[in-house]
Amino acid sequence: MRFDYIFAKAFLVLAIFFTAAFAEGKFMQILTPKQNHLQTELTLNIVLEVDKKRVDTIKIRTPLEDISIDIKSKKKTECKNIELRFGENRVDIRAYKESVLVAQEVRDVYVSSELYHQFRYPPKKYSHTYFHNQEGEKLCAKCHDMSVNEVENVAFKDITKSNCYGCHKSINKEKYAHAPSANWLCTSCHKESKENLSKYLTKEPAYASCFECHEESKETWSSAKYRHEPLDYGRCDKCHNPHSSAYPMFIRKEVNLICLECHKDKHIGQNFACSGANEGDLCTECHTPHASNQPFFLKKRSKRAPR
Ligand code: HEC
Ligand code: HEC
Ligand code: HEC
Ligand code: HEC
Ligand code: HEC
Ligand code: HEC
Ligand code: HEC
């Protein structure tokens, strides 16, 4: 049959092509991240293995930066810590030899957020992939120490000595960093386990970790008459970044913008529905974000609030 003939011939050509490519090896190979990776933090590692004989320059383009790496003078494995933005990020990686493009690959990475409505539901193609399992760590263990070197509750005098620091240094770079994270006691929340997906999963929901240390808050809040729904569901990380943020108390946005993300109708100035409130007031002047014995989580009793 004619079709069979074409298929056989096409197969032969492909087979020869792949054997040749395989014999020569690849120009470059991306060790991490995986394609269509989904995450919640704004930093990412890119690690490539490059054939030095056939590539002299690597150019990485991300939505936020252009990086150029000169291969000649360096080792074969290239490691880079990059910054991302919320939503879709296309990371475009090109290999050149004497200014001629010899290979190109892309990695699409989505940074989601439970708080920002527009970034809450990533397109279907993305899924959360995990790195700290046997398959992932094996790629780096030749050169990096993949073990935990923390002493429980003892802050590092020199944080660069933490085994986690080199690969995750940007996680605490924001102005306000949370004590256990700032001290690189990462495993106080990411307890090491034998879980196949990742050995550093956190407890679900987040407050199970939080309340291990914030016991006083747990007691006050659990005995309060009214509890705010996101808190009651254990999602402290909706409003707080457990690592660091640009805002005090490591909240993910300015106070009012956090509240208005879920309570759109409460806009200060126009159409502001709370009694006694003026433009420029902080929501937290009157409400606590967590729990209270007053209705509407008011800090003080209000005349208008129902009893
Ligand atoms: C062949 C050895 C080698 C392998 C394999 C290797 N690395 Fe590296 N990596 C290094 C060296 C050496 C440095 C420090 C010098 C430098 O910054 O280039 C480094 C630095 C880094 C950095 C910091 C880069 C920066 O921008 O400051 C990250 C992140 C990193 N490695 C991640 C990884 C990950 C993840 C893997 C496995 C997927 C890996 N590396 C595999 C040798 C290696
Ligand atoms: C050789 C580099 C390297 C070292 C060392 C390293 N990590 Fe990672 N880690 C990664 C990479 C790569 C990812 C995938 C996400 C990314 O690129 O940032 C990751 C992801 C994670 C995650 C998300 C869950 C997962 O498994 O993907 C956690 C939590 C984490 N690391 C914690 C730690 C802690 C705690 C330490 C120190 C004990 C540590 N890491 C040391 C490279 C490293
Ligand atoms: C107070 C608890 C806490 C501490 C301390 C902590 N983390 Fe996390 N971390 C979390 C929680 C909770 C999540 C998952 C929820 C989220 O992303 O909002 C997380 C997520 C992560 C992720 C994955 C985010 C993603 O994009 O999917 C990485 C990587 C990570 N942590 C690394 C670290 C490193 C490195 C340290 C030490 C410097 C550290 N964490 C310290 C609680 C903590
Ligand atoms: C390993 C212990 C530990 C864990 C687990 C922990 N924290 Fe903390 N947290 C601290 C310490 C220590 C401080 C600084 C001292 C203080 O102000 O209470 C702190 C401070 C804070 C503050 C700022 C308080 C202030 O008045 O400045 C917030 C907000 C916070 N943590 C939220 C969280 C959230 C949310 C979680 C869970 C994701 C969490 N913490 C888990 C130890 C912990
Ligand atoms: C709805 C958003 C939101 C949620 C959910 C939330 N917080 Fe907060 N949290 C805030 C804001 C906003 C502040 C700053 C309060 C202020 O400025 O008065 C804060 C302050 C704090 C503080 C320091 C001051 C205080 O009131 O004690 C701690 C500790 C804290 N949060 C822990 C947690 C823990 C633990 C959880 C989960 C059980 C949690 N938060 C859930 C928004 C939230
Ligand atoms: C992640 C979403 C989310 C965030 C962020 C959030 N809330 Fe809420 N809040 C809710 C939900 C859900 C309810 C319960 C349903 C309802 O009554 O609207 C609620 C209820 C309330 C109520 C009681 C409403 C009633 O009728 O009893 C008040 C008051 C309130 N929130 C204030 C705040 C303030 C102040 C902030 C900022 C510190 C905030 N919320 C941030 C989701 C959120
Ligand atoms: C000056 C004090 C004050 C400030 C500031 C304030 N509120 Fe209120 N809020 C109240 C009082 C009092 C109530 C009880 C109902 C009433 O009297 O309007 C209330 C009720 C609410 C309710 C529940 C009732 C309803 O109408 O749905 C929500 C949600 C709420 N506030 C959110 C917010 C948000 C978000 C902010 C910041 C943008 C804010 N409040 C700022 C005093 C205040």
Side-chain angles (χ1 to χ4, degrees):
M1 295 270 288
R2 208 179 148 70
F3 270 127
D4 284 355
Y5 176 73
I6 292 170
F7 269 119
K9 193 144 189 198
F11 180 77
L12 196 69
V13 171
L14 277 177
I16 291 168
F17 176 79
F18 277 118
T19 320
F22 193 73
E24 278 197 49
K26 289 187 177 167
F27 291 92
M28 66 170 173
Q29 195 184 350
I30 301 172
L31 301 187
T32 186
K34 293 201 171 97
Q35 175 57 334
N36 300 328
H37 168 66
L38 170 66
Q39 61 170 31
T40 57
E41 281 293 330
L42 291 165
T43 73
L44 178 74
N45 293 320
I46 297 183
V47 183
L48 316 165
E49 234 169 54
V50 183
D51 182 344
K52 281 204 287 190
K53 291 197 206 81
R54 302 200 295 156
V55 174
D56 58 25
T57 312
I58 291 279
K59 290 196 170 142
I60 303 175
R61 169 163 285 186
T62 78
L64 300 179
E65 56 189 330
D66 283 335
I67 302 161
S68 183
I69 309 171
D70 179 5
I71 301 296
K72 281 173 214 148
S73 54
K74 282 202 186 160
K75 59 190 188 302
K76 199 172 139 228
T77 307
E78 292 298 331
C79 312
K80 212 71 212 149
N81 210 241
I82 64 158
E83 313 274 310
L84 301 175
R85 58 179 187 189
F86 283 111
E88 298 198 278
N89 294 267
R90 169 151 288 195
V91 182
D92 177 308
I93 306 166
R94 298 178 189 204
Y96 295 84
K97 176 77 177 179
E98 285 155 9
S99 305
V100 177
L101 179 69
V102 293
Q104 179 183 11
E105 281 200 59
V106 295
R107 289 289 183 271
D108 295 315
V109 178
Y110 195 95
V111 182
S112 68
S113 169
E114 290 266 333
L115 182 65
Y116 293 65
H117 284 277
Q118 69 270 42
F119 305 123
R120 197 160 168 196
Y121 302 106
K124 271 214 184 75
K125 71 169 185 174
Y126 293 98
S127 65
H128 204 311
T129 57
Y130 295 91
F131 172 79
H132 285 285
N133 42 44
Q134 278 190 341
E135 187 202 343
E137 292 199 338
K138 185 170 77 189
L139 301 169
C140 325
K142 198 165 42 150
C143 309
H144 292 271
D145 186 344
M146 301 307 293
S147 67
V148 176
N149 65 340
E150 283 168 31
V151 182
E152 207 181 322
N153 296 328
V154 182
F156 279 91
K157 280 209 191 81
D158 174 2
I159 55 169
T160 65
K161 294 282 187 298
S162 155
N163 281 355
C164 319
Y165 182 83
C167 297
H168 292 292
K169 47 181 162 259
S170 342
I171 209 159
N172 290 319
K173 75 171 183 351
E174 297 297 344
K175 184 166 178 202
Y176 299 95
H178 184 208
S181 193
N183 291 325
W184 288 81
L185 299 175
C186 311
T187 58
S188 44
C189 297
H190 299 281
K191 299 223 160 67
E192 209 179 352
S193 76
K194 294 207 157 48
E195 180 65 51
N196 288 331
L197 274 180
S198 162
K199 65 185 202 190
Y200 296 129
L201 296 179
T202 47
K203 288 184 181 163
E204 277 291 333
Y207 72 178
S209 298
C210 311
F211 286 152
E212 277 182 17
C213 297
H214 295 279
E215 284 170 41
E216 228 173 86
S217 305
K218 181 185 177 182
E219 272 159 37
T220 323
W221 298 342
S222 55
S223 61
K225 212 159 147 193
Y226 304 96
R227 286 185 300 274
H228 198 198
E229 192 175 299
L231 170 111
D232 221 19
Y233 286 168
R235 303 319 311 260
C236 315
D237 53 330
K238 269 197 173 176
C239 301
H240 296 276
N241 185 314
H243 312 116
S244 74
S245 102
Y247 308 102
M249 319 269 176
F250 358 104
I251 52 176
R252 292 184 186 269
K253 284 188 183 187
E254 280 162 32
V255 171
N256 284 16
L257 294 181
I258 284 215
C259 310
L260 294 170
E261 194 63 48
C262 299
H263 299 284
K264 290 202 168 46
D265 55 324
K266 291 288 164 196
H267 198 68
I268 288 201
Q270 17 160 314
N271 196 21
F272 190 68
C274 299
S275 44
N278 297 306
E279 186 161 359
D281 283 353
L282 288 176
C283 313
T284 46
E285 276 165 36
C286 305
H287 299 278
T288 129
H290 305 119
S292 154
N293 285 324
Q294 311 301 328
F296 307 116
F297 322 124
L298 289 168
K299 291 187 168 166
K300 292 196 202 105
R301 181 173 290 277
S302 152
K303 278 186 227 108
R304 278 191 52 193
R307 268 140 224 269

